[in-house]
Amino acid sequence: MKDDKVDTRTLLEWSAKYHTPNYGRTPILLVRGEGTRVWDSDGREYLDFTTGISVTSLGHCHPVVTGAIREAAATLLHVSNIFHAAPQIHLAKLLVENSFADRVFFCNSGAEANEAALKLARKYGKEKLADDRYEVIATNNSFHGRTLATVTATGQPKYQHGFEPLMPGFKHVPYNDLRAMERAMDSHTAAILVEPIQGEGGVNVPDDDYLPGLRKLCDESGALLIFDEIQTGVGRTGRLWAYEHAGVEPDVMTLAKALANGVPIGAMLCRDEAASVLTAGSHGSTFGGTPFVTQVALATLTTVIGDKLPERAARMGRELMDGLRALQPACPVVKQVRGRGLLIGVELSTPAAPIVDACREAGLLVLSAGEKVVRLVPPLIVESADVRRALGILNTVLAKAKA
Ligand SMILES: *Cc1c(COP(=O)(O)O)cnc(C)c1O
């Protein structure tokens, strides 16, 4: 622990020197978190509306999560999936009992959950539909991860540049465009992959008929409907799963981010029919669903459900969204406020980055989503007082910005 003595400036220099340079990091060093707040190495307090990119939904160091981490770490950390372990079984059961799904596969990240869904789609297409049904149709501006398959599925060239050749077997169509999806589907289509609300792509909420329309297209063609709920799931949008807003269910759903409140986990949930192609040995992960991480996820999900946090997200989301809309007349830089629950985007007429920086300097951490959208993803435990404080800072910053 002798590095505790190293001053912040030196640490930031070492960060630039010793890390691969693939992150554009904010120049602060965070040292502690509690609830809706984090503190940097200079003792400055910030209201955290980034939640580690929509991960720490119960806030920082929630006692239930910290307790589960302590207990699990002192009981059984890891045994691999060649053995059974109780927390993994309890978590799978809890997920199934609270969703459309019959079965769950555990992994370690969002990309891996989508990777599992994509492999499932290919095997399902081949074995249940026809030999040449391998293609996955995804949407422009989507985000599905950084592995080669998931970055191929991601409909944003900026994430793909330099990594070509990309994977074969993917197509992209505009989001929220049923006609385009219908036209793109053909005798090769194995699955449609979409986010119920696009997160990284700008907090894009589709029309009410979009997800039901995709369901219908999949029912007609036999293709699997895969919802990437890595960002929208676990209560973020005001329902436990975002698909509940649409009144339709997917065949496959992927989760990660908030599922264990910051301990790395991914999950792929599916129906029996789809799961049946994942025969013993066909897919796997060494770390996937360790007793440790699943104990923490179990504590997290039990708290989200038991404390009715999706309802809370809906209520607090309305407060925040109403407040943001009320700022609009005084802040001409704001073009649109959109979102659902506590996944909120503020579209600007100018780049979001300077606004994100100005908010941080005023004590509020927020994200961007694409070039011109400020993204707000507070923890689901956020209080009205926090919302008012954030609105005050946003008002000051946005009113000063030139449209
Ligand atoms: C974050 C995210 C991913 C990727 O998750 P990682 O854990 O970073 O691999 C995939 N899809 C969506 C919708 C996401 O928001």
Side-chain angles (χ1 to χ4, degrees), residues 75-389:
T75 306
L76 187 66
L77 210 53
H78 171 79
V79 293
S80 91
N81 287 295
I82 58 177
F83 303 107
H84 294 284
Q88 193 187 79
I89 301 166
H90 286 302
L91 179 61
K93 182 165 178 282
L94 187 65
L95 284 165
V96 164
E97 286 171 354
N98 286 280
S99 74
F100 75 97
D102 301 313
R103 293 181 181 262
V104 186
F105 167 79
F106 290 112
C107 49
N108 312 289
S109 67
E112 270 182 273
N114 282 335
E115 193 78 34
L118 293 169
K119 285 179 73 178
L120 171 70
R122 283 200 176 177
K123 205 156 185 287
Y124 180 88
K126 198 183 290 288
E127 291 176 12
K128 299 274 183 174
L129 302 174
D131 228 7
D132 56 352
R133 288 193 64 173
Y134 55 82
E135 202 160 71
V136 173
I137 308 179
T139 59
N140 298 342
N141 286 317
S142 59
F143 185 83
H144 299 297
R146 305 287 201 140
T147 63
L148 265 178
T150 59
V151 89
T152 303
T154 293
Q156 301 192 57
K158 70 175 179 192
Y159 292 114
Q160 300 169 335
H161 181 70
F163 300 115
E164 301 85 355
L166 299 172
M167 297 271 299
F170 290 85
K171 254 200 289 217
H172 291 89
V173 296
Y175 189 65
N176 196 27
D177 185 339
L178 280 173
R179 296 280 279 285
M181 185 63 81
E182 189 172 6
R183 275 197 301 273
M185 291 179 80
D186 60 25
S187 59
H188 297 301
T189 309
I192 289 174
L193 168 64
V194 295
E195 297 154 85
I197 296 172
Q198 287 186 333
E200 312 290 316
V203 190
N204 303 314
V205 185
D207 296 337
D208 289 345
D209 65 350
Y210 185 57
L211 300 179
L214 295 180
R215 179 69 273 172
K216 191 158 167 279
L217 290 176
C218 286
D219 288 342
E220 286 161 6
S221 85
L224 293 175
L225 181 59
I226 307 171
F227 285 165
D228 176 343
E229 292 234 23
I230 290 163
Q231 188 151 169
T232 55
V234 200
R236 168 71 41 202
T237 70
R239 308 293 289 267
L240 190 55
W241 317 117
Y243 71 73
E244 294 173 50
H245 294 287
V248 292
E249 296 177 338
D251 303 299
V252 179
M253 171 167 81
T254 51
L255 301 176
K257 292 201 161 90
L259 187 53
N261 209 57
V263 176
I265 187 170
M268 194 265 312
L269 285 69
C270 59
R271 290 195 200 280
D272 270 327
E273 166 79 357
S276 66
V277 301
L278 291 182
T279 47
S282 62
H283 190 55
S285 163
T286 300
F287 286 132
T290 62
F292 173 74
V293 66
T294 46
Q295 184 77 50
V296 180
L298 195 58
T300 302
L301 189 58
T302 303
T303 303
V304 167
I305 295 169
D307 291 359
K308 297 198 168 15
L309 293 183
E311 287 90 329
R312 190 188 169 79
R315 196 170 67 247
M316 300 312 294
R318 263 194 304 277
E319 274 188 38
L320 184 50
M321 200 128 45
D322 289 349
L324 289 165
R325 290 197 172 123
L327 302 184
Q328 270 182 282
C331 305
V333 74
V334 176
K335 277 178 71 182
Q336 194 191 31
V337 178
R338 58 182 182 244
R340 213 159 227 169
L342 286 171
L343 175 56
I344 296 174
V346 181
E347 187 180 342
L348 309 175
S349 56
T350 59
I355 302 295
V356 170
D357 289 342
C359 285
R360 184 181 69 250
E361 273 148 30
L364 172 67
L365 302 183
V366 296
L367 294 166
S368 60
E371 183 86 351
K372 292 183 172 173
V373 177
V374 172
R375 180 174 28 155
L376 306 172
V377 281
L380 310 190
I381 52 132
V382 72
E383 307 269 351
S384 294
D386 300 321
V387 167
R388 283 195 299 273
R389 188 175 144 77

Side-chain angles (χ1 to χ4, degrees), residues 32-50:
R32 190 167 72 81
E34 191 185 320
T36 57
R37 312 286 155 135
V38 288
W39 285 266
D40 72 13
S41 52
D42 296 329
R44 273 206 70 186
E45 179 184 307
Y46 301 88
L47 182 55
D48 183 10
F49 277 23
T50 68

